Structures are given as C-alpha cells and as structure tokens.
Amino acid sequence: MRDLLFLPHRIPYPPNKGDKIRAYHVLRYLQRHFRVHLGTFIDNADDLRYAEHLAAGCASSCFIRTHPRWTRLASLRGLVTDEPLSLPYFRHARLQRWVNRTLDAHAIDSALAFSGPMAQYLPSHTEHGKLLRVMDLVDVDSEKWQDYAGGAPWPLSMLYRREGTQLLDYERLVARQFDQVMLVSRAEAALFRLRAPEAAHTIDYFNNGVDSEYFSPRHKLSNPYPAVRVVAMTGAMDYAPNIEAAVWFAERVLPSLRLQFPELQFHIVGSRPAHAVLALQRLPGVAVSGTVADIRPYLRHASVIVAPLHIGRGVQNKVLEAMAMEKTVVATPQALEGISATVGAEVLRAADAGEFIYYVGRELVAPGGLGAAARRRILRDYRWDDNLRRLGAALGVADDDTGDIDPPPADANAADRAAPQRQLEPTRERGGGVPEQAL
C-alpha cells in the first residue's frame, strides 16, 4: 500500500459543517487505499478530543492547536510580504517541520492538500523522488472574497478586494505547479478555468455526497417544534454568509409571510449562533435553536426549508441534506450553484424577497410534492462512493469496487460517542498512528 500525505486546513472531524464533511469523507476514502499521514490544524478547543480518534486510522499524524484571534493577527504579515493574508494565517513552522520530517522518513510519492493555503507546505520533490501533488481547492476562494468586498463598508471592502486579487494569483500559481486541482462541482471548475485559463488542463472536480441512509425520511423522528407551521434554515450560524442570510430572511421575508400565516415560525437551526442571529429572537415568530444533537428532526418536521444565501461558493451541504430528507427547498441562485437539481421540479429558486414570499407561501397553502423528486436526484448524483472515484483517479487509484464506507456521525453528539472522551495531552510524534500535537 502506498504512502500519502494529507493536509486539510482544519481537523476533518466531527463532520458537522461543509468543509469538514467533505474532508472527512476524503480521509475515509484515502484510508482505504493508502497509508495516510495526516497533518492539520485544530481551531476549536472542542475538537481536541477527536485527535486520537482520527490518528488511530493513520500511519502518522500531527495536530496543531491554533487560536483564531492570534492567527488573524499573524495573517496581517501578508500586508508586509505582499501575499494573500490566507497564507500566513495557515502558515505554521511546527507543521512545516513535521511535513519535512515525514517526507524524509517515508517513501511518500503522493500528497493531497485540502484548501489553497495548504499548498505552501508541499515541495515538488523529496529525497525519494517526484511528489505527485493534488490540490482540493473545494471552492474558488478568491471569488468569495470579491463577493465579500461588494457588500462590506470601507476599509474592509478594500482589504477583502485585495485578498481576492492576491489569492487568485496564488490559486493560479498552484494550478500551474500542481499535477491536478479539484473543485467541488462542475460549475466551480468551469469558473476556475475562466480565472486560470493557462492551467485549464489541470482543473477537474468531484461532487460532494450525502449519506442518504442517514438523511432519510423513513426514520421516525420526534417533532422538535411547537404545534405550528415552521420554515427552517440550517447551517453554521457563526459563518458570515449564513448570518447575513438569516437576518435578511427574518427582516425582509418573514413579516410578509406572517401577514398570511400568523402562526408561522422561522426556526434558525445551527451551531454557534452569532449575536446578530440571537438578536433576531426579538422579532415575532423567530426562534434560534443553536447547536442541536441531530439536525434531521428539524428538517423532517419543517414545512419548508429555505437557503437565502446571497454570498455562496461551491455546494451547500445544507441544501443536499434537506433534499435527501424529501423536503421542498426554496433557495437563492447562489445557494443552488453547483447543485444538479432541476428548478421547479426538484427545488425552487427565489432571487429576491418577493419570490421567497410567493414560493414559500404557495408551498404552505398547497405543497407541490417536490421532495420525492429531490431525493431521487440525491440518490442519482450525490453518492460519496461514486463521486470520490474522480479524486482516486487523480491520485492513481485503480477504478475498483470500494465497497461500503461506514456512515459518519452527522452531529456532534454522535461524534462524541464514537471518539475518546478525554482531552488529549501534548505528545511527541511516535509511530503507529499516535498523533504529534503542538498545543
């Protein structure tokens, strides 16, 4: 079995938010085909408990605890060094030393970096020969910063625009130097080919997937809502695009819907709700659930799921999960980018407040039955086993029957039950998959 170095920018466990879901399934796939050496960051103290659980399946590992406040300050070095701030944000001397030692000590011929800034750790050659380097950009991150700039006040707009420009230059450099660059959807890959035409031949994609057995309407799930009709939005509620979307829907759409349906409630369900989200509870009909043990009951018993994002890149897992649960989803064009669903037959697209009011109201009066078609789309196009074979081909994995992959825990509580419960103490690197930690 070949050795492979995997460098995701955030610990890929628990799989409870977009990038961690994708990185977790990538790791599980890689472990079936390679001896995986895992190096990554832990930016949330709650995730420390999962390091040993992940390391158990790896040939070696390094987990580095970071603190977002300090890494944000460190990123400002990019203003002096004339580079995107994302590079010093994810630059860490201890991780670089671990990468160098690992490449020297093992005959590693392949490496996968997950998120653009992690490319800075990978040389083109080691003392053992050429290193096959594959980058999973996931999204065209530079485009996201340009989107942020359009809606931010000065001087943030200037800083965001600079980051978008500088980061695109770096993404193009990576695309020229790496053997393959993967993105999360056909649409995102097409966008990056436009932005980096000189490297178009290296750019490909593999879709995300959904655990369609876990996210299934067949499960008996207790209703977490009061005896009223509910429109729900899910997602990490400390993420700026989700915060903006929740505030916009609560202030611009919900009041008009409640004129038609006075009992209607808008439930915002997701971890770590920001102050701006919590403050929405002052409005009639708004409830903020925060972190929940299992997202499925909140999807299953909502009348309609909304995804009102105005800034979005890649694929929204929250939309895929709702579709798998046979729910009608009303979403902005940005939230539907990269999802191969037929508008009007499998999902509903709403570009402004008026269209959200119309489509959500219509579904509340006479449900159109889009949910069954939405689930069929998930079963057809969003199976992890099938989609990860595209990544495998880039890494030289023979096309084979990979068998069933164990379904991941889809919520923090389930992950807690699967992982060791004690906080890990700092250790030095050892063999047999025990992690090196720099805490």
Side-chain angles (χ1 to χ4, degrees):
M1 185 176 281
R2 294 158 53 202
D3 285 66
L4 177 140
L5 179 63
F6 181 38
L7 301 177
H9 69 303
R10 184 178 291 117
I11 182 173
Y13 200 85
N16 56 5
K17 59 188 298 186
D19 61 323
K20 295 174 77 169
I21 292 171
R22 181 175 172 93
Y24 173 77
H25 282 278
V26 166
L27 175 61
R28 294 283 291 157
Y29 177 81
L30 295 175
Q31 288 171 331
R32 298 181 70 90
H33 298 283
F34 299 92
R35 282 170 36 88
V36 176
H37 302 265
L38 173 67
T40 190
F41 295 108
I42 298 177
D43 60 6
N44 185 330
D46 291 341
D47 289 348
L48 286 168
R49 74 189 78 173
Y50 306 121
E52 193 169 284
H53 174 67
L54 275 188
C58 297
S60 69
S61 56
C62 177
F63 299 88
I64 293 182
R65 174 77 169 104
T66 60
H67 302 273
R69 178 181 299 176
W70 297 114
T71 49
R72 281 194 292 270
L73 286 174
S75 73
L76 296 178
R77 289 197 300 265
L79 297 175
V80 177
T81 56
D82 195 31
E83 60 184 341
L85 305 187
S86 302
L87 290 189
Y89 186 95
F90 288 105
R91 183 176 295 142
H92 201 291
R94 289 178 181 177
L95 182 58
Q96 186 66 70
R97 289 196 295 270
W98 178 84
V99 168
N100 295 343
R101 290 198 306 269
T102 302
L103 291 174
D104 288 345
H106 303 277
I108 295 174
D109 63 4
S110 303
L112 174 64
F114 186 100
S115 184
M118 301 306 286
Q120 64 189 308
Y121 291 99
L122 295 177
S124 60
H125 290 75
T126 73
E127 64 179 35
H128 305 287
K130 184 182 184 301
L131 184 65
L132 173 70
R133 295 181 296 175
V134 176
M135 163 57 65
D136 186 2
L137 275 183
V138 188
D139 310 325
V140 185
D141 218 29
S142 56
E143 201 80 9
K144 176 190 70 179
W145 288 106
Q146 296 291 1
D147 290 343
Y148 284 166
W154 190 89
L156 282 179
S157 59
M158 180 180 66
L159 190 65
Y160 293 165
R161 191 165 289 110
R162 176 195 181 276
E163 182 69 5
T165 300
Q166 296 269 24
L167 193 55
L168 177 58
D169 289 343
Y170 183 74
E171 290 167 344
R172 293 176 66 179
L173 176 65
V174 170
R176 292 195 300 270
Q177 293 183 345
F178 273 47
D179 298 278
Q180 189 86 58
V181 175
M182 309 296 286
L183 290 112
V184 74
S185 68
R186 183 193 300 271
E188 206 72 3
L191 172 63
F192 192 47
R193 290 190 191 102
L194 289 175
R195 298 290 184 263
E198 70 283 358
H201 62 286
T202 71
I203 299 168
D204 200 358
Y205 72 96
F206 67 96
N207 287 328
N208 278 0
V210 180
D211 181 354
S212 57
E213 290 303 312
Y214 187 83
F215 288 99
S216 170
R218 293 195 299 271
H219 296 296
K220 293 183 179 179
L221 302 165
S222 298
N223 190 346
Y225 301 122
V228 296
R229 284 190 285 188
V230 168
V231 172
M233 175 185 172
T234 65
M237 289 302 156
D238 59 349
Y239 179 51
N242 286 343
I243 296 169
E244 185 277 334
V247 171
W248 180 85
F249 189 90
E251 294 181 347
R252 299 285 301 279
V253 177
L254 183 64
S256 294
L257 285 172
R258 282 177 58 85
L259 291 177
Q260 303 175 59
F261 312 97
E263 81 288 0
L264 184 67
Q265 290 191 2
F266 175 43
H267 274 253
I268 303 168
V269 188
S271 60
R272 300 178 298 277
H275 175 75
V277 175
L278 292 172
L280 294 174
Q281 294 178 105
R282 73 185 189 280
L283 301 176
V286 177
V288 178
S289 300
T291 301
V292 297
D294 187 346
I295 197 66
R296 296 174 301 167
Y298 294 85
L299 294 172
R300 173 70 180 83
H301 292 285
S303 299
V304 180
I305 302 298
V306 294
L309 280 79
H310 296 104
I311 298 175
R313 294 252 53 86
V315 170
Q316 300 298 321
N317 290 286
K318 61 178 75 69
V319 173
L320 299 180
E321 291 167 356
M323 291 172 64
M325 293 289 292
E326 288 193 357
K327 303 308 299 183
T328 294
V329 179
V330 183
T332 57
Q334 294 90 328
L336 294 176
E337 284 183 4
I339 295 178
S340 59
T342 302
V343 173
E346 296 164 344
V347 295
L348 294 173
R349 182 170 58 199
D352 55 32
E355 291 187 353
F356 267 99
I357 294 165
Y358 171 75
Y359 284 119
V360 173
R362 190 184 72 178
E363 287 299 309
L364 292 174
V365 171
L370 274 66
R375 179 168 172 83
R376 287 194 296 270
R377 172 65 70 176
I378 295 298
L379 296 177
R380 184 164 61 248
D381 290 352
Y382 291 96
R383 292 183 178 274
W384 279 112
D385 284 4
D386 294 340
N387 295 344
L388 281 164
R389 288 192 175 96
R390 294 179 73 99
L391 174 63
L395 292 167
V397 175
D399 186 17
D400 62 351
D401 182 6
T402 60
D404 294 330
I405 295 178
D406 294 338
D411 60 82
N413 283 7
D416 285 347
R417 292 191 293 271
Q421 296 302 302
R422 61 183 179 85
Q423 291 286 337
L424 299 181
E425 297 298 328
T427 64
R428 296 184 61 83
E429 180 185 7
R430 292 173 280 171
V434 178
E436 173 183 355
Q437 295 193 329
L439 302 180

